[in-house]
Amino acid sequence: MQLKLMYQGKEVKCEEHPECQEKFCRRELLMKVILSFVRPRIVPIINRIFEIQELFQLADIVSQGENQLRHVIRICEYAERMRDKELHELGINRDTLLTAVLFHDVGKGPEVDDRNWDAGEGKPVKVPALLARYGLPSWADYREPQHYHLVRGLQIARTYNLSPDVMEAIALHHHVKITPEVLDVVSHSLGLAPAIKEDIRHFQPEQYAVRGSKLAQVVAILDQLCAIERKFSVTPCLWTDATKIEDELVKDLVIGVALTDDPRFRLLGVEIKGDETVILLDLCSFGTFVRLHSEYEVQALKRTVLNTIRSVVRAQNREGQRQRDLVGLVGGDEFVVLTKVRDPAVVEKMISRICGAVKTKTGFDFRYGYGIGEKIPDNFHAARQAANLKKRIKFLGEK
């Protein structure tokens, strides 16, 4: 078998023996690519890949924009993150889970490579007899070529004499019904945000509707987490509260990095046009507070102010539905509110309510400014200029 390894669009070759196809050289080349994007602590898991020769072909397959060997490794990272306490609660052995995730997509081949194939061309077909043995009913949403790898994966797994639980996980990870109990345990173990849990819970109920083991459910959940990463581009935020995503999004908006089609808006359930009003709130005397208090107290104050602002700036639209004004901490002591309100008088009232609430809660005042009518980065610049004009100028010799 000739192995071609690609990294950043270029073929990686053995410097000493370019034409060498010996097993040792193939291993060194593959490790060179893999170690460039994995954490060192899962290297022992990566070594197991070399015991499964069929996984090598995934290195040259891209499906839904993701290299399929990287997809397998990413799920291994999720599995490795799960804590022993939760695995014991589910009755799952860690080694069994890692085996299941390593083999779950082993049957994939060129038929799922969407660089030369449109995913919309897939069509529903009759459930194969091999999958029916694992409880997949005739009415299940089984499509080819998207799901052909389930049959092929089972055929390969048989040659490795895997346990029945692992075989079931391979067969059902695209169709097993994920129960709330299992999802809650996995979410607690990985620290998933509520928004991530809800996305998994309500994803394609017509497809994920077959009863299966807890192991199959966990593999399905981890598989969906990879899909969520691609869908929302929020890899750093998967294990944090949705407010962290909001915080990062506000920072990107005010400096012009994020655009209105950023997928994180869908995750937060927010729609913007890109010309929202920007309110900048700058804490007064914050530098003195930093000098006199511990880092823990400083961070606690920031969280308190941020949560207080979020509790105040929530508006009702004409239909009585709640809208979200985005709030974020963009600097050491600068808080930003993005709102659809354009009336300066109403904006001033909003600022007055915010300042009053924060003053009552923490004792701190704000310097503030706002920008209206332009793009978000321009409005942010105008808000900062207005806030700076409110700074008290210290004269020479004054403390």
Side-chain angles (χ1 to χ4, degrees):
M1 178 183 69
Q2 184 173 358
L3 180 67
K4 181 186 291 186
L5 294 176
M6 307 296 293
Y7 178 59
Q8 295 183 347
K10 298 180 180 180
E11 183 178 355
V12 180
K13 295 184 178 181
C14 176
E15 290 83 356
E16 296 183 4
H17 309 287
E19 304 301 324
C20 180
Q21 294 298 322
E22 293 298 322
K23 182 177 180 180
F24 179 77
C25 286
R26 293 203 303 270
R27 176 189 174 96
E28 292 303 306
L29 287 175
L30 191 56
M31 285 298 290
K32 180 178 179 182
V33 175
I34 291 175
L35 292 178
S36 66
F37 56 75
V38 301
R39 295 179 299 128
R41 63 184 296 179
I42 72 162
V43 171
I45 301 172
I46 300 302
N47 287 329
R48 295 186 60 183
I49 288 177
F50 299 101
E51 302 171 6
I52 311 169
Q53 293 292 315
E54 290 81 2
L55 284 178
F56 284 18
Q57 66 179 348
L58 299 185
D60 198 34
I61 296 175
V62 175
S63 181
Q64 297 183 354
E66 183 177 33
N67 179 280
Q68 291 305 285
L69 182 59
R70 185 192 183 282
H71 169 67
V72 172
I73 294 170
R74 190 74 183 107
I75 294 187
C76 285
E77 288 184 313
Y78 282 126
E80 187 271 336
R81 283 176 182 270
M82 290 195 65
R83 296 178 299 194
D84 292 334
K85 179 182 177 181
E86 281 76 17
L87 287 176
H88 179 74
E89 183 177 346
L90 293 171
I92 296 175
N93 177 272
R94 183 180 298 277
D95 185 67
T96 302
L97 175 60
L98 290 172
T99 299
V101 298
L102 281 170
F103 276 91
H104 84 287
D105 277 346
V106 72
K108 283 186 174 179
E111 74 279 354
V112 299
D113 196 322
D114 52 19
R115 290 173 295 182
N116 304 308
W117 173 76
D118 183 3
E121 295 177 359
K123 59 181 180 180
V125 298
K126 182 180 178 181
V127 173
L130 183 57
L131 292 179
R133 298 174 190 172
Y134 290 92
L136 202 63
S138 58
W139 50 261
D141 184 17
Y142 179 85
R143 295 173 178 268
E144 288 190 351
Q146 294 100 315
H147 294 148
Y148 175 73
H149 69 278
L150 302 177
V151 174
R152 175 64 177 151
L154 285 173
Q155 293 171 341
I156 294 172
R158 280 180 174 177
T159 65
Y160 287 84
N161 298 318
L162 301 182
S163 68
D165 286 346
V166 173
M167 296 288 285
E168 181 189 10
I170 296 170
L172 299 182
H173 74 273
H174 275 298
H175 294 92
V176 65
K177 179 178 177 60
I178 298 172
T179 61
E181 295 78 14
V182 174
L183 180 57
D184 287 344
V185 173
V186 175
S187 298
H188 184 263
S189 183
L190 297 177
L192 301 181
I196 302 296
K197 286 177 58 178
E198 289 304 306
D199 194 84
I200 295 173
R201 192 188 306 275
H202 300 295
F203 182 69
Q204 296 186 2
E206 70 284 355
Q207 177 179 318
Y208 289 84
V210 181
R211 291 177 180 267
S213 66
K214 291 181 179 180
L215 176 63
Q217 292 181 52
V218 172
V219 175
I221 292 170
L222 301 185
D223 198 29
Q224 285 199 33
L225 284 179
C226 283
I228 289 172
E229 285 190 358
R230 294 192 303 269
K231 182 179 177 181
F232 295 120
S233 303
V234 290
T235 305
C237 306
L238 278 177
W239 299 278
T240 60
D241 198 306
T243 55
K244 295 291 186 180
I245 301 175
E246 181 178 346
D247 224 18
E248 293 297 325
L249 185 54
V250 169
K251 291 178 184 178
D252 291 345
L253 284 169
V254 297
I255 63 175
V257 173
L259 302 177
T260 55
D261 60 350
D262 193 292
R264 287 173 290 182
F265 288 117
R266 297 199 306 272
L267 184 63
L268 294 172
V270 176
E271 294 183 3
I272 70 168
K273 296 181 179 179
D275 58 353
E276 279 69 17
T277 298
V278 177
I279 302 172
L280 177 65
L281 303 158
D282 191 358
L283 279 175
C284 298
S285 306
F286 185 69
T288 302
F289 181 85
V290 171
R291 290 193 295 270
L292 299 177
H293 294 79
S294 67
E295 182 64 20
Y296 174 82
E297 292 171 311
V298 170
Q299 298 304 324
L301 173 66
K302 290 181 181 180
R303 287 194 298 271
T304 299
V305 173
L306 199 57
N307 292 334
T308 303
I309 296 174
R310 286 198 172 106
S311 69
V312 174
V313 291
R314 290 296 183 260
Q316 298 281 342
N317 63 14
R318 294 181 180 178
E319 287 75 28
Q321 298 173 339
R322 292 187 69 81
Q323 294 178 333
R324 293 191 60 180
D325 294 323
L326 294 176
V327 181
L329 174 64
V330 300
D333 57 355
E334 293 181 334
F335 300 82
V336 163
V337 179
L338 303 181
T339 178
K340 297 181 184 298
V341 177
R342 292 177 176 271
D343 187 341
V346 178
V347 172
E348 289 282 355
K349 290 181 180 179
M350 288 177 61
I351 295 173
S352 178
R353 289 200 306 271
I354 294 170
C355 292
V358 173
K359 178 74 171 178
T360 301
K361 191 80 171 179
T362 67
F364 277 84
D365 290 315
F366 279 123
R367 288 182 295 270
Y368 66 85
Y370 56 88
I372 301 176
E374 302 295 335
K375 298 296 183 182
I376 289 177
D378 298 326
N379 287 339
F380 176 65
H381 182 68
R384 173 166 278 173
Q385 286 184 320
N388 287 337
L389 290 175
K390 291 182 171 61
K391 286 185 177 180
R392 179 175 177 270
I393 301 175
K394 291 184 179 181
F395 293 96
L396 187 64
E398 186 178 359
K399 296 184 178 179

